[in-house]
Amino acid sequence: MPLRDSTDLKEFNFLNEAEYYTYDQWFDAEHLIEGLAHACPKMKVIHPKKLDVAGGVPVKHNWSVDLGSAPGYQAFVSYFWPGRLFKPFWDEEPREIVHELLELIPRPYYGVHFRVENDTIWSPLENQLKMNLEALDKAWAQDNKNGDPKAKKPLVYLACGDKEQVKKFQAAGAERGWEVTHKWGVAAMSPTKKEDILKKMDALAFDFQGAVDMGVMMQANFYMGITGSAFSSTIANARDGTGRYRGSSLYIYEDGGARNHLNNDGEANGYPCCL
Protein backbone atom coordinates (compact mmCIF):
# COMPACT_ATOMS: atom_id res chain seq x y z
CA MET A 1 0.00 0.00 0.00
CA PRO A 2 1.41 3.42 -0.90
CA LEU A 3 2.38 5.92 1.80
CA ARG A 4 1.25 9.42 0.96
CA ASP A 5 3.67 12.32 1.05
CA SER A 6 4.00 13.75 4.56
CA THR A 7 4.29 17.31 3.25
CA ASP A 8 1.93 17.37 0.27
CA LEU A 9 -0.97 15.48 1.84
CA LYS A 10 -2.89 15.41 -1.45
CA GLU A 11 -0.16 13.28 -3.06
CA PHE A 12 -1.20 9.69 -2.34
CA ASN A 13 1.61 8.13 -4.44
CA PHE A 14 -0.74 5.69 -6.16
CA LEU A 15 1.54 5.54 -9.19
CA ASN A 16 4.85 5.81 -7.33
CA GLU A 17 6.14 2.28 -6.74
CA ALA A 18 9.03 3.61 -4.66
CA GLU A 19 6.53 4.64 -1.99
CA TYR A 20 4.68 1.32 -1.81
CA TYR A 21 5.27 -0.37 1.54
CA THR A 22 4.75 -4.01 2.47
CA TYR A 23 2.34 -5.11 5.19
CA ASP A 24 4.98 -5.22 7.93
CA GLN A 25 5.89 -1.57 7.29
CA TRP A 26 2.28 -0.49 7.91
CA PHE A 27 0.97 -2.92 10.49
CA ASP A 28 2.02 -5.32 13.23
CA ALA A 29 3.05 -8.30 11.09
CA GLU A 30 4.32 -10.17 14.12
CA HIS A 31 0.84 -10.07 15.67
CA LEU A 32 -0.68 -11.40 12.41
CA ILE A 33 1.84 -14.23 12.16
CA GLU A 34 1.22 -15.21 15.79
CA GLY A 35 -2.52 -15.34 15.09
CA LEU A 36 -2.01 -17.45 11.99
CA ALA A 37 0.26 -19.82 13.90
CA HIS A 38 -2.51 -20.35 16.45
CA ALA A 39 -5.29 -20.86 13.87
CA CYS A 40 -3.23 -22.68 11.23
CA PRO A 41 -0.19 -24.22 12.97
CA LYS A 42 1.05 -25.92 9.78
CA MET A 43 1.08 -22.72 7.75
CA LYS A 44 4.49 -21.22 7.06
CA VAL A 45 4.63 -17.44 6.62
CA ILE A 46 7.53 -15.73 4.87
CA HIS A 47 8.15 -12.21 3.65
CA PRO A 48 7.72 -11.58 -0.11
CA LYS A 49 11.25 -10.21 -0.26
CA LYS A 50 12.58 -13.72 0.50
CA LEU A 51 10.96 -15.28 -2.58
CA ASP A 52 13.12 -16.27 -5.55
CA VAL A 53 16.26 -14.47 -4.38
CA ALA A 54 19.72 -15.75 -3.60
CA GLY A 55 19.62 -17.53 -0.27
CA GLY A 56 15.85 -17.13 -0.14
CA VAL A 57 12.91 -19.43 -0.79
CA PRO A 58 12.38 -20.82 -4.32
CA VAL A 59 8.87 -20.59 -5.74
CA LYS A 60 7.63 -23.87 -7.20
CA HIS A 61 4.21 -22.71 -8.44
CA ASN A 62 2.54 -19.36 -9.02
CA TRP A 63 -1.25 -19.13 -8.81
CA SER A 64 -3.39 -16.07 -9.47
CA VAL A 65 -6.32 -15.93 -7.04
CA ASP A 66 -9.00 -13.27 -7.59
CA LEU A 67 -10.80 -12.98 -4.27
CA GLY A 68 -13.08 -10.26 -5.61
CA SER A 69 -14.79 -12.73 -7.96
CA ALA A 70 -15.61 -15.25 -5.23
CA PRO A 71 -19.35 -15.87 -4.65
CA GLY A 72 -20.65 -13.82 -1.73
CA TYR A 73 -17.47 -11.77 -1.41
CA GLN A 74 -17.97 -8.43 0.36
CA ALA A 75 -15.26 -5.82 0.15
CA PHE A 76 -14.25 -3.86 3.25
CA VAL A 77 -15.99 -6.12 5.76
CA SER A 78 -14.26 -5.54 9.08
CA TYR A 79 -12.62 -8.17 11.25
CA PHE A 80 -14.05 -6.44 14.32
CA TRP A 81 -17.78 -6.55 15.04
CA PRO A 82 -20.04 -6.60 18.18
CA GLY A 83 -18.87 -10.12 18.92
CA ARG A 84 -15.20 -9.21 18.60
CA LEU A 85 -14.68 -5.67 19.86
CA PHE A 86 -11.75 -3.48 18.98
CA LYS A 87 -11.44 -1.73 22.34
CA PRO A 88 -10.50 -4.83 24.41
CA PHE A 89 -7.95 -5.72 21.75
CA TRP A 90 -6.50 -2.20 21.89
CA ASP A 91 -6.48 -2.15 25.69
CA GLU A 92 -4.37 -5.30 25.69
CA GLU A 93 -1.86 -3.79 23.21
CA PRO A 94 -0.85 -0.28 24.37
CA ARG A 95 1.84 1.07 21.90
CA GLU A 96 4.94 2.77 23.25
CA ILE A 97 4.29 6.41 22.29
CA VAL A 98 0.58 6.28 23.16
CA HIS A 99 1.35 4.73 26.52
CA GLU A 100 3.89 7.43 27.32
CA LEU A 101 1.49 10.23 26.38
CA LEU A 102 -1.39 8.79 28.41
CA GLU A 103 0.85 8.65 31.48
CA LEU A 104 1.58 12.38 31.12
CA ILE A 105 -1.99 13.66 30.72
CA PRO A 106 -2.69 15.16 34.16
CA ARG A 107 -6.50 14.94 34.34
CA PRO A 108 -9.65 13.73 32.53
CA TYR A 109 -9.75 14.92 28.93
CA TYR A 110 -12.08 15.31 25.97
CA GLY A 111 -10.72 14.26 22.58
CA VAL A 112 -11.47 16.30 19.44
CA HIS A 113 -10.57 15.47 15.84
CA PHE A 114 -9.92 18.84 14.20
CA ARG A 115 -9.75 18.00 10.47
CA VAL A 116 -8.23 21.17 9.01
CA GLU A 117 -4.93 19.99 7.50
CA ASN A 118 -4.03 21.22 4.01
CA ASP A 119 -5.70 18.28 2.28
CA THR A 120 -9.09 18.73 3.93
CA ILE A 121 -12.22 18.52 1.78
CA TRP A 122 -14.62 19.32 4.60
CA SER A 123 -15.97 22.60 5.93
CA PRO A 124 -13.64 25.55 6.67
CA LEU A 125 -11.71 25.86 9.90
CA GLU A 126 -14.11 28.49 11.25
CA ASN A 127 -17.12 26.17 10.90
CA GLN A 128 -15.40 23.13 12.40
CA LEU A 129 -14.11 25.31 15.25
CA LYS A 130 -17.61 26.61 15.99
CA MET A 131 -19.19 23.13 15.93
CA ASN A 132 -16.52 21.65 18.18
CA LEU A 133 -16.64 24.42 20.78
CA GLU A 134 -20.42 24.20 20.96
CA ALA A 135 -20.23 20.42 21.36
CA LEU A 136 -17.58 20.75 24.08
CA ASP A 137 -19.82 23.11 26.03
CA LYS A 138 -22.78 20.71 25.72
CA ALA A 139 -20.68 17.75 26.87
CA TRP A 140 -19.45 19.70 29.88
CA ALA A 141 -23.00 20.78 30.71
CA GLN A 142 -23.95 17.09 30.88
CA ASP A 143 -20.98 16.18 33.05
CA ASN A 144 -21.31 19.20 35.33
CA LYS A 145 -25.02 18.67 35.96
CA ASN A 146 -25.12 20.88 39.04
CA GLY A 147 -23.62 23.80 37.14
CA ASP A 148 -20.83 24.19 39.68
CA PRO A 149 -18.83 27.25 38.50
CA LYS A 150 -15.80 26.04 40.49
CA ALA A 151 -15.69 22.63 38.78
CA LYS A 152 -12.56 22.18 36.66
CA LYS A 153 -13.20 21.48 33.01
CA PRO A 154 -11.47 18.51 31.40
CA LEU A 155 -8.41 19.08 29.26
CA VAL A 156 -9.10 19.13 25.51
CA TYR A 157 -6.78 16.91 23.47
CA LEU A 158 -6.78 17.91 19.80
CA ALA A 159 -5.98 15.45 17.02
CA CYS A 160 -4.68 17.65 14.21
CA GLY A 161 -1.63 17.36 12.00
CA ASP A 162 -1.16 21.11 11.58
CA LYS A 163 0.43 22.85 14.58
CA GLU A 164 -0.46 26.32 13.29
CA GLN A 165 -4.17 25.49 12.99
CA VAL A 166 -4.07 24.06 16.50
CA LYS A 167 -3.07 27.51 17.82
CA LYS A 168 -6.32 28.97 16.48
CA PHE A 169 -8.32 26.34 18.36
CA GLN A 170 -6.31 26.97 21.52
CA ALA A 171 -6.99 30.72 21.38
CA ALA A 172 -10.72 30.31 20.71
CA GLY A 173 -11.02 27.58 23.33
CA ALA A 174 -9.30 29.69 25.99
CA GLU A 175 -11.96 32.38 25.52
CA ARG A 176 -14.57 29.82 26.61
CA GLY A 177 -12.53 28.39 29.47
CA TRP A 178 -11.03 25.40 27.67
CA GLU A 179 -7.37 24.40 27.99
CA VAL A 180 -6.41 22.82 24.67
CA THR A 181 -3.38 20.65 23.99
CA HIS A 182 -2.15 18.07 21.47
CA LYS A 183 0.41 15.26 21.22
CA TRP A 184 3.32 17.70 21.05
CA GLY A 185 1.99 19.66 24.03
CA VAL A 186 1.50 16.54 26.12
CA ALA A 187 5.05 15.41 25.35
CA ALA A 188 6.30 18.80 26.56
CA MET A 189 4.67 18.20 29.97
CA SER A 190 7.62 16.03 30.90
CA PRO A 191 10.99 17.86 30.96
CA THR A 192 12.81 14.54 31.16
CA LYS A 193 10.89 12.60 28.48
CA LYS A 194 10.02 15.46 26.14
CA GLU A 195 12.91 15.21 23.69
CA ASP A 196 12.74 11.42 23.47
CA ILE A 197 8.98 11.35 22.79
CA LEU A 198 9.15 14.21 20.27
CA LYS A 199 12.00 12.49 18.44
CA LYS A 200 10.01 9.26 18.14
CA MET A 201 6.88 11.08 16.96
CA ASP A 202 8.70 13.24 14.43
CA ALA A 203 10.33 10.14 12.97
CA LEU A 204 6.88 8.85 11.99
CA ALA A 205 5.31 9.65 8.62
CA PHE A 206 2.19 11.85 8.75
CA ASP A 207 -0.23 8.93 8.37
CA PHE A 208 1.55 6.94 11.09
CA GLN A 209 1.34 9.91 13.47
CA GLY A 210 -2.43 9.56 13.17
CA ALA A 211 -2.20 6.21 14.94
CA VAL A 212 -0.80 8.02 17.99
CA ASP A 213 -3.81 10.34 18.06
CA MET A 214 -6.16 7.40 17.59
CA GLY A 215 -4.72 5.65 20.64
CA VAL A 216 -5.20 8.72 22.80
CA MET A 217 -8.74 9.29 21.45
CA MET A 218 -9.72 5.74 22.38
CA GLN A 219 -9.16 6.57 26.05
CA ALA A 220 -10.79 10.04 26.07
CA ASN A 221 -13.60 10.73 28.55
CA PHE A 222 -15.60 12.12 25.63
CA TYR A 223 -14.78 12.06 21.92
CA MET A 224 -15.79 14.37 19.06
CA GLY A 225 -15.13 14.20 15.33
CA ILE A 226 -16.89 14.78 11.98
CA THR A 227 -19.17 12.45 10.03
CA GLY A 228 -17.27 12.85 6.76
CA SER A 229 -13.93 11.61 8.14
CA ALA A 230 -13.07 7.92 8.12
CA PHE A 231 -10.66 8.57 11.02
CA SER A 232 -13.43 10.14 13.10
CA SER A 233 -15.95 7.42 12.28
CA THR A 234 -13.51 4.59 12.93
CA ILE A 235 -12.79 5.87 16.42
CA ALA A 236 -16.48 6.43 17.16
CA ASN A 237 -17.18 2.85 16.05
CA ALA A 238 -14.38 1.43 18.15
CA ARG A 239 -15.41 3.33 21.29
CA ASP A 240 -18.96 1.95 21.12
CA GLY A 241 -19.66 -1.44 22.68
CA THR A 242 -21.71 -2.46 19.64
CA GLY A 243 -18.77 -1.82 17.32
CA ARG A 244 -20.84 0.86 15.55
CA TYR A 245 -21.42 4.55 16.21
CA ARG A 246 -25.03 4.60 17.37
CA GLY A 247 -25.46 8.38 17.27
CA SER A 248 -24.44 11.40 19.31
CA SER A 249 -24.11 10.85 23.04
CA LEU A 250 -25.20 14.47 23.47
CA TYR A 251 -28.71 13.47 22.44
CA ILE A 252 -29.02 9.71 23.02
CA TYR A 253 -30.04 8.87 26.57
CA GLU A 254 -28.39 5.45 26.66
CA ASP A 255 -25.14 5.18 24.72
CA GLY A 256 -23.59 2.26 26.58
CA GLY A 257 -20.77 4.49 27.82
CA ALA A 258 -19.49 5.22 24.29
CA ARG A 259 -19.54 9.00 24.85
CA ASN A 260 -19.15 9.96 21.19
CA HIS A 261 -20.33 12.89 19.09
CA LEU A 262 -19.74 13.32 15.37
CA ASN A 263 -20.53 16.75 13.98
CA ASN A 264 -22.57 16.55 10.79
CA ASP A 265 -19.93 17.59 8.28
CA GLY A 266 -19.78 15.57 5.06
CA GLU A 267 -21.74 12.56 3.87
CA ALA A 268 -20.76 9.19 5.26
CA ASN A 269 -23.25 6.88 3.54
CA GLY A 270 -20.63 4.25 2.81
CA TYR A 271 -19.02 4.13 6.22
CA PRO A 272 -21.52 1.78 7.94
CA CYS A 273 -20.54 -0.98 5.49
CA CYS A 274 -16.86 -0.31 4.89
CA LEU A 275 -15.50 0.73 8.31
Side-chain angles (χ1 to χ4, degrees):
M1 186 167 73
L3 179 68
R4 67 170 157 176
D5 191 283
S6 291
T7 303
D8 181 4
L9 302 183
K10 296 180 181 179
E11 176 53 71
F12 287 90
N13 287 315
F14 289 135
L15 302 178
N16 183 1
E17 292 187 5
E19 291 300 323
Y20 272 68
Y21 288 78
T22 51
Y23 182 93
D24 60 307
Q25 292 172 294
W26 275 98
F27 307 109
D28 188 348
E30 190 174 318
H31 171 74
L32 173 67
I33 294 172
E34 288 176 358
L36 288 173
H38 177 74
C40 310
K42 293 185 178 180
M43 180 182 289
K44 295 180 180 179
V45 181
I46 59 174
H47 196 285
K49 291 180 180 178
K50 294 183 179 179
L51 299 177
D52 277 344
V53 295
V57 179
V59 177
K60 189 174 183 179
H61 300 289
N62 278 302
W63 290 284
S64 176
V65 180
D66 183 11
L67 181 62
S69 64
Y73 171 77
Q74 297 180 48
F76 310 116
V77 174
S78 175
Y79 170 82
F80 297 104
W81 64 292
R84 187 190 290 118
L85 301 179
F86 178 80
K87 191 175 187 302
F89 164 77
W90 180 272
D91 289 343
E92 293 172 4
E93 304 287 334
R95 294 300 186 245
E96 183 179 0
I97 298 176
V98 174
H99 182 69
E100 290 178 331
L101 291 179
L102 289 174
E103 283 190 330
L104 294 175
I105 297 178
R107 64 180 193 269
Y109 65 97
Y110 291 166
V112 176
H113 181 209
F114 194 38
R115 188 62 172 92
V116 293
E117 294 86 355
N118 63 31
D119 68 329
T120 185
I121 59 174
W122 293 277
S123 65
L125 178 147
E126 293 74 19
N127 186 55
Q128 288 193 44
L129 181 59
K130 178 177 181 293
M131 290 192 297
N132 281 317
L133 290 174
E134 289 177 351
L136 284 169
D137 289 343
K138 289 178 181 178
W140 177 236
Q142 284 188 357
D143 288 344
N144 187 28
K145 291 183 176 62
N146 297 325
D148 182 1
K150 296 182 180 179
K152 192 176 181 69
K153 288 183 175 180
L155 187 69
V156 175
Y157 178 96
L158 216 60
C160 180
D162 190 323
K163 296 179 183 179
E164 294 305 311
Q165 305 292 45
V166 167
K167 293 177 182 177
K168 297 177 183 178
F169 198 113
Q170 288 176 315
E175 293 178 0
R176 299 169 79 147
W178 292 104
E179 181 186 352
V180 182
T181 189
H182 41 67
K183 53 181 171 285
W184 304 286
V186 174
M189 292 179 182
S190 172
T192 57
K193 295 183 178 180
K194 173 184 174 181
E195 295 303 322
D196 179 58
I197 297 176
L198 290 176
K199 183 178 179 181
K200 285 186 286 191
M201 287 198 301
D202 290 341
L204 298 175
F206 177 83
D207 280 345
F208 292 164
Q209 288 184 4
V212 174
D213 284 329
M214 180 181 180
V216 178
M217 292 297 180
M218 287 294 296
Q219 304 298 332
N221 296 81
F222 202 102
Y223 168 69
M224 300 167 192
I226 58 176
T227 55
S229 165
F231 180 86
S232 288
S233 295
T234 296
I235 295 173
N237 286 342
R239 285 173 56 90
D240 196 298
T242 66
R244 290 293 176 202
Y245 174 61
R246 67 182 80 182
S248 172
S249 300
L250 297 178
Y251 308 110
I252 295 177
Y253 177 72
E254 178 51 60
D255 69 349
R259 292 176 62 79
N260 289 319
H261 171 75
L262 296 183
N263 291 301
N264 190 6
D265 192 356
E267 291 301 324
N269 296 350
Y271 288 165
C273 75
C274 71
L275 292 181

